[in-house]
Amino acid sequence: MEKHIQIFLTKISYLSIAVSTLILIFIFCFQPPPQTCINPNSNPNQKSHPLSTCHVSPRPITTVDHKNHRLWSTNTWRKSVSSFTSLFINLQTLTNISNHTHSLIMSAGGGQAVMAMHQIGVVDVTGVEVIDSPPLVSRADPHNLPFFDSVFGLGFSVELDQALFPDRYVSEMERTVSVGGVIVVCVQVCGDDEVNDVLKLFRKSEFLGARNVTVMASKMTMIVVKRI
Ligand SMILES: *[C@@H]1O[C@H](CO)[C@@H](O)[C@H](O)[C@H]1NC(C)=O
Ligand SMILES: *[C@@H]1O[C@H](CO)[C@@H](O)[C@H](O)[C@H]1NC(C)=O
C-alpha cells in the first residue's frame, strides 16, 4: 500500500516538472519581442522615445548631446572651429597630411580642432585633454600619453606654452608620431629667437617651417617639424 502511494507521488512530481518545463518553453518561445526597451542608439531610424522605466541608460547621452548641441551652435565655437579649419588647410600646403593621416590633437580643450579636422575630411582624429569632453576629446595626461610609439602621422598642439613640462610634452609627441610624420605646435606670436628656443625641445625632428597664424582670435606662430 505505501509503495503504491510512493509511486503515485513520484508520478505527480514528474508530471509537475514536465508541466513547468512546458510553461517555461512557452514563455520563451511565444513572448512577443519587447518594444519599449530598444536602445534608440542601436537604430538611427527610430525617432520616438518610449516612455518606460527600462529606458534609463540613454538619458545621460541625450544630456551630453543636448549640451554639445548648444555649445556647438554658439558663435565663439563656430569661429574657433573655422580658425582651425583654415589653419589645417594652410598646413596641407606645407605637409603631406591626408584624409587618412592618423592625427593626434594634444590639449584639445572642448574639441574645436578635432571638429575642424573632421570637417576638412580627416577621418581618424584623437583629441586628448586633462578633462574629457565626449565625444570629441578623451582624457589623457599629455606628459604620459596612453598610446604606443609611432601610431600617429600628425601631432598638433596650440598649448605647448601652457605645458607644465614642455620638454616632456614634446618628447611624448615625438614618441607617438612616427618617423616621416609631422608635428605642429602653435605658440604665442614670436620671432626667430623664440622659434629656435622651441625647436630645441625637439630632439628627433627637423624644422620644416614657421608662419604666423590666427587661432581662436589670438595671433600665434605655427612651427612645423618633421619627425626623423
Ligand atoms: C611629401 O611628399 C613628397 C613626395 O612624396 C616628399 O618629397 C616630401 O618630402 C613630403 N613632405 C613631407 C613633409 O613629408
Ligand atoms: C578628403 O575629404 C574631404 C571631405 O570629405 C573631401 O572633400 C576630399 O575630396 C577628400 N580628399 C581626398 C584627397 O580624398
Side-chain angles (χ1 to χ4, degrees):
M1 183 63 185
E2 271 202 346
K3 205 174 178 191
H4 278 181
I5 289 175
Q6 212 174 351
I7 288 172
F8 178 68
L9 286 178
T10 314
K11 274 184 184 163
I12 290 212
S13 28
Y14 279 140
L15 187 69
S16 51
I17 287 172
V19 168
S20 4
T21 310
L22 280 178
I23 289 174
L24 278 179
I25 289 174
F26 180 82
I27 288 173
F28 278 121
C29 296
F30 299 101
Q31 210 190 29
Q35 308 222 312
T36 50
C37 299
I38 295 167
N39 182 351
N41 299 321
S42 66
N43 180 2
N45 295 326
Q46 187 189 346
K47 294 245 159 55
S48 66
H49 287 249
L51 299 166
S52 97
T53 48
C54 56
H55 197 256
V56 283
S57 61
R59 227 164 256 163
I61 295 171
T62 313
T63 312
V64 168
D65 280 350
H66 190 68
K67 207 179 100 206
N68 283 338
H69 187 74
R70 261 188 312 174
L71 174 66
W72 294 347
S73 56
T74 60
N75 246 337
T76 325
W77 178 274
R78 282 201 224 139
K79 277 187 190 153
S80 299
V81 172
S82 81
S83 74
F84 281 115
T85 311
S86 12
L87 187 147
F88 291 141
I89 289 169
N90 191 336
L91 204 57
Q92 280 173 324
T93 64
L94 251 183
T95 67
N96 288 345
I97 55 167
S98 77
N99 286 356
H100 302 290
T101 303
H102 292 184
S103 304
L104 168 69
I105 313 284
M106 299 270 279
S107 311
Q112 294 91 331
V114 176
M115 186 176 272
M117 277 272 172
H118 287 153
Q119 282 180 3
I120 65 165
V122 179
V123 184
D124 191 339
V125 187
T126 302
V128 296
E129 179 58 270
V130 180
I131 300 166
D132 64 345
S133 295
L136 298 175
V137 180
S138 341
R139 190 174 64 177
D141 176 4
H143 300 101
N144 191 12
L145 292 174
F147 307 116
F148 290 120
D149 298 355
S150 310
V151 285
F152 298 105
L154 169 72
F156 178 84
S157 174
V158 293
E159 297 283 342
L160 174 60
D161 23 19
Q162 312 295 325
L164 223 44
F165 305 102
D167 215 58
R168 177 85 190 147
Y169 191 98
V170 166
S171 79
E172 278 296 87
M173 288 181 100
E174 288 190 314
R175 182 182 67 76
T176 51
V177 171
S178 60
V179 169
V182 171
I183 300 176
V184 181
V185 292
C186 295
V187 295
Q188 221 173 38
V189 72
C190 65
D192 290 350
D193 288 348
E194 289 93 340
V195 169
N196 282 329
D197 285 343
V198 172
L199 287 173
K200 279 185 197 136
L201 298 170
F202 291 86
R203 309 246 161 79
K204 299 176 183 165
S205 310
E206 69 182 17
F207 181 56
L208 279 185
R211 48 178 78 163
N212 287 346
V213 292
T214 303
V215 185
M216 299 204 280
S218 313
K219 291 232 171 292
M220 301 190 98
T221 298
M222 171 171 86
I223 301 167
V224 184
V225 303
K226 181 174 173 174
R227 182 75 174 75
I228 51 172

